[in-house]
Amino acid sequence: MRAAILTGPGQVEVRQVARPEPGPGQVRLRLEGCGVCASNLTPWAGPEWMQYPTEPGALGHEAWGFVDSLGAGVEGLSVGDRVAALSYKSYAEYDLAEAEAVVRLPEALAGQPFPGEPLGCAMNIFRRSEIEAGQTVAIIGIGFLGAILTKLATDAGARVIAISRRPFSLDLARRMGAAETIPMEDHHAIIEKVKELTGGAFCERVIEAVGKQWPLDLAGEITRERGRLIVAGYHQDGPRQVNMWLWNWRGIDVINAHERDPKVYMQGLREAVDAIASGRLDPSFLYTHSYRLDRLDEALDATRDRPDGFLKALVMY
C-alpha cells in the first residue's frame, strides 16, 4: 500500500509499505480518505520532541472507508461495510482500527466524505457545553469545528455571537445561523461590543475554538457571572496563563471539552452519523479543499496558512 511518512520538518514522502494485518478484535480498513487536522501542524513544523521518520500513515486520524479484513473474534461488522473509524495511521491507503472504534455508515451517507473524528468531537463539545434555548453563546474561532458548533447552538435556540479573524469565516458563521459577527481584531473593542450586545451581562456560554493564548484570554473576559467557558481549542504549543482573579470573581465554570475516553468518542461519532444522515446537519460545503495523498504536504501547508476560502482539507485515496 502507499503511505505517507514524515521524514523531517515540513517534509513528507509517500512510500510503498506492507499492508497491516488485523489482530484479534481489529479490522483492516481500505480507506477512501482522511481529514487534515490542525493538531498535525505542530508535528509538521518540527518541534524538539518530534522524532522522524514517522511510522507509515502517522498523524492521520480522521478516516473513513470500507472494512477490508476482519481479525479473529470480530462480530457485528462485515467485509465491505462502509464505515468511519477512530484510527491513527490513516495517511495511507489502509489502516487498522479496533472493532469497537468503528461505526457503520448508513446508505443515506453513500458517497459522502465522513471524517468521523472531528464530527464526533463537535457533538461531544456541544453536549459538554449544555447550551439551551434563550442563551447567548459566543464562539471564538470559526473554523470547521466552530462552524458546526454555530449551527448546533443556533438550532438549540441559542443566540450565537461569532468572533473570528477572516471575513470568509464570519460570512460562514452567518450562513450557519450566527445572529451577530465580530471581527477578531481589537481585544478591548470585542469586549465592548459583546458587552453592548448583551446589555452588560456578557454570555452564558463561551466556546474558545482556536487553541491560542489570546482567544483564551478573550473567552474569560466575555463570559458572564456563573457562566460556562468551554475550551475546545487544542492548546499544544506550550503552557497557558489565565486571569484567575477574573475567573474567581465571576464564578466561571471552565470545561475542557477534549475527550480521551474511547466510549465518549464513539458516542459523539454515532451522534454525528445520526445528525448528518437525518439531514439535521450538512457539513458537505465545509470540506473546501481536496488533495491526493502525494500532495499531503500541500494539504498541511494550506491548513497552516489558511488561504482565502479555506476551511477544511481532505486527503482522498
Side-chain angles (χ1 to χ4, degrees):
M1 70 173 185
R2 295 186 309 145
I5 297 172
L6 271 63
T7 57
Q11 299 176 9
V12 63
E13 295 180 6
V14 176
R15 299 177 183 171
Q16 290 284 343
V17 301
R19 292 181 192 174
E21 294 297 329
Q26 293 183 322
V27 300
R28 186 172 67 195
L29 308 174
R30 176 171 57 83
L31 301 181
E32 289 186 282
C34 181
V36 178
C37 179
S39 68
N40 293 165
L41 298 181
T42 295
W44 180 237
E48 292 182 0
W49 50 261
M50 189 65 188
Q51 295 184 343
Y52 301 100
T54 61
E55 295 183 83
L59 303 184
H61 59 270
E62 300 184 358
W64 72 97
F66 295 90
V67 174
D68 171 72
S69 181
L70 304 176
V74 172
E75 298 178 353
L77 291 167
S78 301
V79 171
D81 285 345
R82 189 167 187 262
V83 299
L86 298 179
S87 61
Y88 299 98
K89 297 177 184 175
S90 295
Y91 287 144
E93 292 176 319
Y94 293 80
D95 197 7
L96 301 179
E98 300 299 321
E100 60 266 25
V102 175
V103 173
R104 188 182 292 107
L105 298 177
E107 186 62 30
L109 299 177
Q112 297 184 36
F114 202 93
E117 193 272 346
L119 293 168
C121 186
M123 305 305 287
N124 284 330
I125 291 167
F126 180 71
R127 187 186 327 107
R128 292 284 298 277
S129 300
E130 296 187 359
I131 291 170
E132 300 174 358
Q135 292 176 338
T136 297
V137 177
I139 300 178
I140 303 173
I142 306 298
F144 182 75
L145 185 61
I148 292 175
L149 291 168
T150 298
K151 173 65 172 172
L152 294 174
T154 299
D155 286 353
R159 173 198 185 200
V160 174
I161 301 173
I163 303 167
S164 201
R165 178 175 55 87
R166 298 182 298 162
F168 167 77
S169 295
L170 296 176
D171 289 343
L172 177 62
R174 285 187 283 270
R175 180 175 177 179
M176 300 301 272
E180 307 284 349
T181 57
I182 303 175
M184 195 170 176
E185 297 172 347
D186 182 276
H187 182 78
H188 296 289
I190 296 169
I191 296 170
E192 289 304 311
K193 182 62 175 178
V194 174
K195 186 176 182 180
E196 174 191 331
L197 290 171
T198 59
F202 294 112
C203 303
E204 287 94 340
R205 300 288 185 268
V206 178
I207 301 176
E208 182 275 309
V210 180
K212 299 295 182 182
Q213 181 70 59
W214 174 33
L216 185 62
D217 293 339
L218 179 63
E221 294 280 1
I222 62 175
T223 304
R224 71 179 301 166
E225 292 182 7
R226 299 291 303 277
R228 176 170 290 202
L229 191 167
I230 300 96
V231 181
Y234 188 35
H235 293 261
Q236 65 176 333
D237 61 342
R240 295 289 182 255
Q241 294 181 325
V242 300
N243 185 346
M244 190 55 69
W245 173 84
L246 177 68
W247 289 14
N248 281 166
W249 182 255
R250 292 191 183 174
I252 293 172
D253 292 336
V254 181
I255 300 296
N256 184 359
H258 288 266
E259 301 294 347
R260 291 295 174 263
D261 184 338
K263 293 180 180 179
V264 180
Y265 262 127
M266 296 309 294
Q267 180 181 353
L269 181 47
R270 292 188 183 94
E271 290 175 358
V273 170
D274 290 344
I276 297 170
S278 68
R280 290 186 290 116
L281 180 65
D282 177 14
S284 59
F285 62 94
L286 304 180
Y287 310 129
T288 55
H289 289 63
S290 178
Y291 300 85
R292 300 187 310 269
L293 181 60
D294 59 7
R295 295 176 59 202
L296 176 59
D297 56 344
E298 296 177 42
L300 289 163
D301 286 346
T303 302
R304 177 195 63 204
D305 300 336
R306 307 187 76 76
D308 188 44
F310 178 90
L311 195 73
K312 179 73 172 177
L314 303 177
V315 178
M316 307 293 288
Y317 309 141

